[in-house]
Amino acid sequence: MCNKLSNSFHYDKKGVNRRDFLRLSATAGVSTLLIPEAMAHTPGRSEIKENKPFPTRVLGRTGIEVPILSMGVMRADNPNVLRAAYNSGIFHFDTAHGYQNGKNEEMVGNFFKGKPRDTYCIATKIKFDYPLTDRFEKDMEEKMAISLGRLQMDYVDIFYAHAFDHVEEVKEPRIIQALEKLKADGKTRFIGFSTHAGKPEQIHAAVDAGIYDVILLSYNFKLNNLKETEEAIERAAKAGIGLVAMKTMTGGVEDAEGKKKINAQACLKWAWKNPHIATIIPGFTNYDELEECLAAALQPEINSEEQEYLASLCGKELLYCQQCGKCTEQCAQHLPIPGIMRAYMYAYGYKYSRLSKETLLELQLPEDACSACDRCSVQCVSGFNVAAKIAAITPVKQIPDEFLT
């Protein structure tokens, strides 16, 4: 829908100077990351209607027939929401080794303990540094053992190498060998990778590699390389790779300040228009959000009003970073700006500052990011004022976890 972003958004090419950065990093938006404990969990209705008849699609060569709506458990910390999703007919749940420092996998494991193994489908993910260290294989083995222990399962249905950024990772022989070993050892039924990078060439590389069963990818109406992405998706589907979509709601808000929620149903329905997307994993955390997703899944055909609404957002900045990497090339410090922008989205869009902090810590940023530059040289293709966003989000690293949502 938005093959090319509008140039109507005004971008101050002067950016933010060093004095502005220090001022912003001390004050800009940090208070919005601190939410009282009473507000951290949104209350909802006590029950969700059970066993709703969702449309289903086959997840590539895995043969798993999944409802078009699944659950990304990443932000959820209330097992009652997990129970409501399961009772509603959702049976594919996506977690990861690092989510909530392992507590997410533990919650999933505790909930599914004792339930028939053929009534749910679990995916988890493990992230590792690239280029690979000498300990890569050992670390992978140890982390997988920890994840299975938390989940209280002998195996997961889908295992993803977490958050590939480069095509080289898709083709890396050591990664391929490690994934194949997990499958051969019975630790997972199927293997794949997740990617936020928005690079169709990764999908093509996966087809060429011939070993990936599933790909979890960012897919939404704001992609500026939508045509190329959909061509790669179609090729992957024809090769038997199952496609699972995330980031369909472009950050969860329809404004750059993160104040107005986006129409989630319209975003989901847009993604379901592509018949090769088997399922979507929105990260709902309360009953209201779950019911909104359920309503979309029960009537998944997008209408003209919803299409017009999404079209009206195409020229807006929003919070979704295209992850194109052009900013990193421009940055004098070569900071991992796409990762920082993702952290910003987690905090100001998803209102999940703990994940934002986790993401920033993984990036291993210098102590005073940006402070060495008198003026920012980065001009984002999406219109982001990159320096201002970095200044607003990096202070979250210093906030104790107990004060974060």
Side-chain angles (χ1 to χ4, degrees), residues 38 40 62 74 111 134 150 187 205 230 242 250 274 282 293 331 344 349 388 391 396:
T62 72
M74 176 179 71
F111 175 74
D134 292 339
R150 292 169 179 164
K187 303 295 178 59
E230 292 193 329
T250 65
N274 189 328
C293 293
C331 177
Y344 186 96
V396 75

Side-chain angles (χ1 to χ4, degrees), residues 97 105 122-126 137-151 153-160 178-179 181-183 185-191:
H97 182 89
E105 285 183 327
I122 300 296
T124 197
K125 304 180 284 291
I126 291 175
E137 290 83 0
K138 187 68 174 177
D139 286 343
M140 175 76 84
E141 183 179 338
E142 291 175 353
K143 289 180 178 179
M144 188 63 177
I146 292 171
S147 286
L148 291 175
R150 292 169 179 164
L151 292 166
M153 298 174 189
D154 295 326
Y155 66 91
V156 292
D157 298 279
I158 303 168
F159 175 82
Y160 297 111
L179 293 177
K181 186 176 188 301
L182 289 177
K183 194 173 182 179
D185 290 346
K187 303 295 178 59
T188 183
R189 295 172 61 200
F190 305 105
I191 54 178

